[in-house]
Amino acid sequence: IHESNSFASDFVSSLSVDTQTLQKQIEELSTFSDTPAPSVTRVLYTEKDVLARGYIKNLMQLSGLTVREDAVGNIFGRWTGDEAELAPVATGAIEAINVLKRSGFKPRKSLEVIMFTSEEPTRFGISCLGSRLLAGSEAFAKSLISTVDSQNISFLEAARSAGYAKEHDDLSVVFLKKGSYSAFVELHIEQGPILEDEDTSIGVVTAIAAPASIKVDFEGNGGHAGAVLMPNRNDAGLAAAELALAIEKHVLESGSIDTVGTVGILDLHPGAINSIPSKSHIEIDTRDIDEKRRNTVIEKIHQSAITIAKNRKVRLSEFKIVNQDPPALSEKSIIEAAEAASKELNLTDKLMISRAYHDSLFMARISPMGMIFIPCYKGYSHKPEEYASGQDIANGVKVLALTLAKLSLQ
Amino acid sequence: IHESNSFASDFVSSLSVDTQTLQKQIEELSTFSDTPAPSVTRVLYTEKDVLARGYIKNLMQLSGLTVREDAVGNIFGRWTGDEAELAPVATGAIEAINVLKRSGFKPRKSLEVIMFTSEEPTRFGISCLGSRLLAGSEAFAKSLISTVDSQNISFLEAARSAGYAKEHDDLSVVFLKKGSYSAFVELHIEQGPILEDEDTSIGVVTAIAAPASIKVDFEGNGGHAGAVLMPNRNDAGLAAAELALAIEKHVLESGSIDTVGTVGILDLHPGAINSIPSKSHIEIDTRDIDEKRRNTVIEKIHQSAITIAKNRKVRLSEFKIVNQDPPALSEKSIIEAAEAASKELNLTDKLMISRAYHDSLFMARISPMGMIFIPCYKGYSHKPEEYASGQDIANGVKVLALTLAKLSLQ
Ligand SMILES: [Mn+2]
Ligand SMILES: [Mn+2]
Ligand SMILES: [Mn+2]
Ligand SMILES: [Mn+2]
């Protein structure tokens, strides 16, 4: 009855979001918090997190989904399709499922909602913990076993206190095989100002820029700011300053607007006005949607660090690439489905890059991936001022629902 | 019986330092400490400080000096000369007086030993507090009244707990008139490596470099390290890095080895790896023996800060010259007396600059001034490794004693 790539206009116009209920659910969910509104603080595997998980599982059940959880608490709610043997189409938004249920849609491929464990690095300093593990890295699964929080509580201990990881210590049971999903589509606020500035309703993400993090330490002899003459100095602080500016230069040399690099941390030791810095520590974040181009920047930064250390006679005591996740490209068929959905719903849309990263970055390792953005206030995120209007949220949910419907029938 | 500028060789050779007693006194003095050896912690106006003051006054009395104290606890011990109406020659070393007493020397101008209050900024963050006040600044005397320590104890309250500042609140009673002394000569370890490296016994100081301290704040918009593209950034951290390197450049441009400049403090806000710095704070120390040259450097630093702020579209929210003490030149007659004394004692000597500053910097405002340096281990000071050999100390005391004798007879 449905064609795979476009729907009858009466089906499209029948799609409706229950904005009032959705808003109420967002507000109810935000009350599971250890700090008063408008901030929300919900730390992984704490009592509030366990309560919020119960709330989500309940919503999934109310939507008629079949719920399962894995050993670290990723929660899956499945709407089984007519051809249940095909890999499902997955997303993160329960209301998109509700929209399709209300419209009378019947999925061919199953549709699945995933609530990922700990997208934010609240407790163990690891972002996208759940999706990272789903994507299946043995090294990561092992390292997680020995990870502890600031109270020295181990990851496994914490997980067990929330009712997870009960059976055994091997977290590789969480891994999903490549091909487990035929598509994964995430709806998100832009976390940037472009859609709001340009008054565009929908962003269709073509790539997710991935960060590399680097820690650098320089060491010199220090000394008294009065007593040590300039030719006798090897100032670790000036080495750090020079590297910070070199990073900016190398990023700009890439020639692409998509290359960024930031020195957000720069510490000097001993940190006294009359002491030449004997140690400096900087932390660098560099991102791109093109992995090779980003890695070229990293290599240039490394070369600069070596050259600066040599010229300033300081020791480059550490140059550590803490992580270097590959960027991810969206699947062409998902981009096309989202664009088509947006146009069929008479919404303005544009192709764009996600410069923050998301669970989609890791899901892309095991599944074709796409993302849909909606405008948000001034690009703010991760602070109480974060806001998206009910209208923009409704638009996003409708585009997601229609995209899922298209992908389900493909 | 004595000529004013050179002594009979039998007088010179009769000068003897009681190294053993002096070493014992240094060790006894170091036991008035709130931390265990080898560190010494004696905070202004605490019990340990009061006990150490008693110990010093006792030594002065044992040396036959007439002791007085002023309202902030500067302690003066006078050996009245044959022409008591002349301005005395002052110093800081009791053992130099003992040397002259044992030699049978009779002063023409009186000799005076001064123990200055709080050369180190231990409690109120003010270095050379005693000499700074002696040198007579109304503004400083007033500011001291409202100064509190980290426990919110006022300067006057603290002074009173140690038995000082009893009479009234006006600290200008401490001021000394210009001409109160005909000379002030300070003996000190070099706090630098030159004398030790060059195996020279005595440094005769020709000038004291004076520091200027500057605080600078830059402010930008900050933002997410992934989301804000390079052309849209105004990174306060990079502005600080650029200024740190500009300071080095301006200092080197001065063309003089005596110009130094240091960025010992550089703080970024919020200080997270994925946040573009929205604020940066740097503290600068710059010194020279030539005030005009140093002030030229300060002016260039200011211009750079303005230019960098403009180019990077950040706000220069603070450029504060915290202090800008003038450097001091030693008096020619004192330099000559010390050089002659060193030669008569068959010691190697060299003219040099004091790059750290001392009570002499402030005494120079009211008196002709000179300093004598001795070698110290690796230039270390203000840490437990600080060390000068008994032989080097004895050499310094002898040169000082002979210099005082010459100046007393002039
Ligand atoms: Mn987030
Ligand atoms: Mn996210
Ligand atoms: Mn000192
Ligand atoms: Mn000193």
Side-chain angles (χ1 to χ4, degrees):
Chain A
I1 40 165
H2 296 299
E3 288 176 52
S4 65
N5 280 316
S6 74
F7 288 89
S9 67
D10 61 339
F11 171 76
V12 171
S13 62
S14 80
L15 298 176
S16 75
V17 175
D18 184 351
T19 310
Q20 214 176 324
T21 302
L22 179 56
Q23 206 62 254
K24 199 182 118 256
Q25 289 168 350
I26 291 171
E27 265 150 45
E28 282 172 354
L29 188 57
S30 76
T31 63
F32 300 106
S33 170
D34 288 322
T35 54
S39 76
V40 180
T41 302
R42 190 160 63 237
V43 175
L44 178 64
Y45 299 145
T46 60
E47 190 197 343
K48 293 293 195 291
D49 185 44
V50 172
L51 290 171
R53 288 164 177 278
Y55 182 84
I56 292 295
K57 284 183 274 185
N58 191 44
L59 288 186
M60 286 181 171
Q61 271 146 0
L62 289 172
S63 298
L65 304 179
T66 308
V67 176
R68 77 170 181 96
E69 293 181 277
D70 69 17
V72 297
N74 290 309
I75 303 171
F76 306 82
R78 184 170 295 194
W79 181 8
T80 304
D82 291 340
E83 299 183 34
E85 70 285 3
L86 296 179
V89 172
T91 186
I94 299 169
E95 179 61 14
I97 298 298
N98 295 339
V99 168
L100 291 178
K101 291 221 161 186
R102 283 193 295 265
S103 76
F105 177 76
K106 296 277 174 231
R108 176 174 163 249
K109 292 172 183 159
S110 301
L111 292 178
E112 187 155 298
V113 179
I114 310 178
M115 194 224 72
F116 295 100
T117 283
S118 196
E119 194 237 15
E120 300 299 334
T122 48
R123 185 164 184 174
F124 294 98
I126 301 160
S127 60
C128 299
L129 193 154
S131 55
R132 210 182 271 267
L133 195 62
L134 283 177
S137 153
E138 285 289 352
F140 177 57
K142 267 197 192 119
S143 73
L144 212 43
I145 300 291
S146 57
T147 297
V148 295
D149 69 9
S150 63
Q151 310 296 299
N152 217 32
I153 298 171
S154 77
F155 176 80
L156 280 178
E157 198 181 333
R160 279 166 189 160
S161 77
Y164 300 109
K166 292 262 188 228
E167 320 268 302
H168 39 67
D169 284 359
D170 183 2
L171 295 176
S172 68
V173 294
V174 169
F175 295 175
L176 291 180
K177 283 200 191 68
K178 247 187 191 176
S180 297
Y181 294 106
S182 62
F184 176 77
V185 193
E186 184 174 354
L187 174 62
H188 211 283
I189 59 166
E190 181 199 338
Q191 292 183 275
I194 299 172
L195 292 175
E196 184 184 53
D197 284 356
E198 300 184 358
D199 201 16
T200 299
S201 296
I202 295 293
V204 177
V205 171
T206 57
I208 304 174
S213 315
I214 308 170
K215 292 185 178 181
V216 182
D217 290 330
F218 289 112
E219 287 181 31
N221 295 333
H224 187 276
V228 185
L229 300 184
M230 300 305 283
N232 302 328
R233 295 184 177 201
N234 57 353
D235 185 322
L238 291 178
E242 210 175 320
L243 186 58
L245 293 169
I247 290 161
E248 184 189 39
K249 179 170 158 278
H250 297 322
V251 165
L252 294 174
E253 278 166 0
S254 102
S256 166
I257 191 78
D258 295 321
T259 318
V260 292
T262 309
V263 172
I265 294 175
L266 197 167
D267 294 328
L268 301 183
H269 179 86
I273 185 169
N274 61 351
S275 292
I276 300 162
S278 58
K279 286 183 205 164
S280 61
H281 170 80
I282 78 178
E283 299 195 13
I284 305 157
D285 177 302
T286 179
R287 304 181 189 213
D288 206 321
I289 52 163
D290 181 318
E291 185 172 18
K292 202 169 147 232
R293 200 165 54 201
R294 188 202 60 188
N295 290 351
T296 301
V297 170
I298 293 174
E299 189 42 40
K300 282 185 178 182
I301 293 172
H302 192 190
Q303 284 307 320
S304 282
I306 292 168
T307 306
I308 289 165
K310 201 173 151 228
N311 292 344
R312 290 195 171 269
K313 295 183 177 63
V314 298
R315 205 155 64 84
L316 178 62
S317 52
E318 175 146 84
F319 188 94
K320 186 179 173 189
I321 298 172
V322 179
N323 61 59
Q324 198 172 8
D325 291 317
L329 295 179
S330 298
E331 185 77 10
K332 190 161 172 279
S333 61
I334 301 178
I335 296 172
E336 286 170 355
E339 281 193 291
S342 180
K343 283 177 184 37
E344 288 166 31
L345 287 156
N346 291 316
L347 296 170
T348 50
D349 71 285
K350 72 175 289 176
L351 296 178
M352 59 196 309
I353 300 301
S354 172
R355 304 190 183 277
Y357 69 107
H358 305 279
D359 290 309
S360 292
L361 181 67
F362 299 95
M363 289 305 283
R365 296 180 183 176
I366 52 165
S367 167
M369 175 276 297
M371 287 191 79
I372 296 164
F373 277 174
I374 57 167
C376 60
Y377 176 60
K378 284 194 181 176
Y380 290 158
S381 68
H382 298 118
K383 48 182 174 180
E385 291 83 356
E386 179 178 315
Y387 172 78
S389 73
Q391 182 60 58
D392 285 327
I393 292 173
N395 289 339
V397 173
K398 265 198 251 186
V399 172
L400 175 61
L402 189 49
T403 303
L404 294 174
K406 288 171 186 287
L407 294 170
S408 168
L409 300 186
Q410 272 178 11
Chain B
I1 41 162
H2 296 297
E3 289 174 53
S4 65
N5 279 316
S6 75
F7 288 89
S9 67
D10 61 336
F11 171 77
V12 171
S13 62
S14 80
L15 298 175
S16 74
V17 175
D18 184 352
T19 310
Q20 215 178 322
T21 303
L22 179 56
Q23 206 62 256
K24 200 181 117 257
Q25 289 167 352
I26 291 171
E27 266 151 43
E28 282 171 354
L29 189 57
S30 75
T31 63
F32 301 106
S33 170
D34 288 323
T35 54
S39 76
V40 179
T41 303
R42 189 161 61 239
V43 175
L44 179 64
Y45 299 144
T46 60
E47 190 197 346
K48 292 293 196 289
D49 184 43
V50 172
L51 290 171
R53 287 164 177 279
Y55 181 83
I56 292 294
K57 285 183 273 185
N58 191 46
L59 288 185
M60 286 180 172
Q61 272 146 0
L62 289 171
S63 298
L65 304 178
T66 308
V67 176
R68 77 170 180 94
E69 293 180 276
D70 70 15
V72 297
N74 291 308
I75 302 171
F76 307 81
R78 183 170 297 193
W79 180 8
T80 304
D82 292 340
E83 299 184 34
E85 70 284 3
L86 296 177
V89 173
T91 186
I94 299 169
E95 178 62 11
I97 300 297
N98 295 340
V99 168
L100 292 178
K101 291 223 162 188
R102 283 194 295 267
S103 76
F105 178 75
K106 295 283 175 225
R108 178 175 162 248
K109 292 170 182 160
S110 301
L111 293 177
E112 188 156 300
V113 179
I114 310 178
M115 194 224 75
F116 295 100
T117 285
S118 197
E119 196 238 14
E120 300 299 333
T122 48
R123 184 162 183 175
F124 295 97
I126 301 160
S127 60
C128 301
L129 192 155
S131 56
R132 209 182 270 266
L133 195 62
L134 283 175
S137 152
E138 286 289 353
F140 177 57
K142 269 200 192 115
S143 73
L144 212 43
I145 300 290
S146 57
T147 297
V148 296
D149 68 10
S150 62
Q151 310 295 300
N152 218 32
I153 298 171
S154 77
F155 176 80
L156 280 178
E157 197 180 334
R160 280 168 188 158
S161 77
Y164 300 109
K166 293 265 187 221
E167 321 267 303
H168 38 66
D169 284 359
D170 183 1
L171 295 175
S172 68
V173 293
V174 169
F175 296 175
L176 291 179
K177 284 200 189 69
K178 248 189 190 170
S180 296
Y181 295 105
S182 62
F184 176 77
V185 192
E186 185 174 353
L187 175 62
H188 212 283
I189 59 166
E190 182 199 338
Q191 291 183 274
I194 300 171
L195 292 175
E196 185 185 51
D197 283 356
E198 300 185 358
D199 201 16
T200 298
S201 297
I202 297 293
V204 177
V205 171
T206 56
I208 304 175
S213 316
I214 309 170
K215 292 184 178 182
V216 183
D217 291 330
F218 289 113
E219 288 181 32
N221 295 335
H224 188 276
V228 184
L229 300 185
M230 300 305 281
N232 302 329
R233 294 182 177 204
N234 57 354
D235 185 322
L238 292 178
E242 208 175 324
L243 185 59
L245 293 169
I247 290 162
E248 184 189 41
K249 178 170 160 280
H250 296 324
V251 165
L252 294 174
E253 278 166 1
S254 102
S256 166
I257 191 78
D258 295 322
T259 319
V260 292
T262 308
V263 173
I265 293 175
L266 197 168
D267 295 326
L268 301 183
H269 180 87
I273 186 168
N274 61 351
S275 291
I276 301 162
S278 58
K279 286 184 204 165
S280 61
H281 170 79
I282 78 177
E283 299 196 12
I284 305 156
D285 177 303
T286 178
R287 303 179 191 214
D288 206 321
I289 53 164
D290 182 317
E291 185 171 16
K292 202 169 148 233
R293 201 165 56 202
R294 188 202 59 190
N295 290 350
T296 302
V297 170
I298 293 175
E299 189 43 40
K300 283 185 177 180
I301 293 172
H302 193 189
Q303 285 307 320
S304 283
I306 293 168
T307 307
I308 289 165
K310 201 175 151 224
N311 291 345
R312 290 194 171 272
K313 296 185 177 62
V314 298
R315 206 155 63 83
L316 178 61
S317 51
E318 174 147 84
F319 187 94
K320 185 177 173 191
I321 299 171
V322 179
N323 60 60
Q324 198 171 10
D325 291 317
L329 295 179
S330 298
E331 185 77 8
K332 190 163 170 277
S333 60
I334 301 178
I335 295 172
E336 286 170 356
E339 279 193 293
S342 181
K343 284 178 183 38
E344 287 165 32
L345 287 157
N346 291 315
L347 296 169
T348 50
D349 71 283
K350 72 175 291 176
L351 296 178
M352 59 196 309
I353 300 302
S354 172
R355 304 189 184 278
Y357 69 109
H358 306 280
D359 290 309
S360 292
L361 181 67
F362 299 95
M363 290 304 284
R365 296 180 182 177
I366 53 165
S367 167
M369 176 277 294
M371 287 190 79
I372 296 164
F373 276 174
I374 58 167
C376 60
Y377 175 60
K378 284 194 180 176
Y380 289 158
S381 68
H382 299 118
K383 48 182 173 181
E385 292 82 356
E386 179 177 314
Y387 172 78
S389 74
Q391 183 59 58
D392 284 327
I393 293 172
N395 289 340
V397 173
K398 266 198 248 183
V399 172
L400 175 61
L402 190 49
T403 303
L404 295 173
K406 287 170 188 288
L407 295 169
S408 168
L409 300 184
Q410 273 177 9

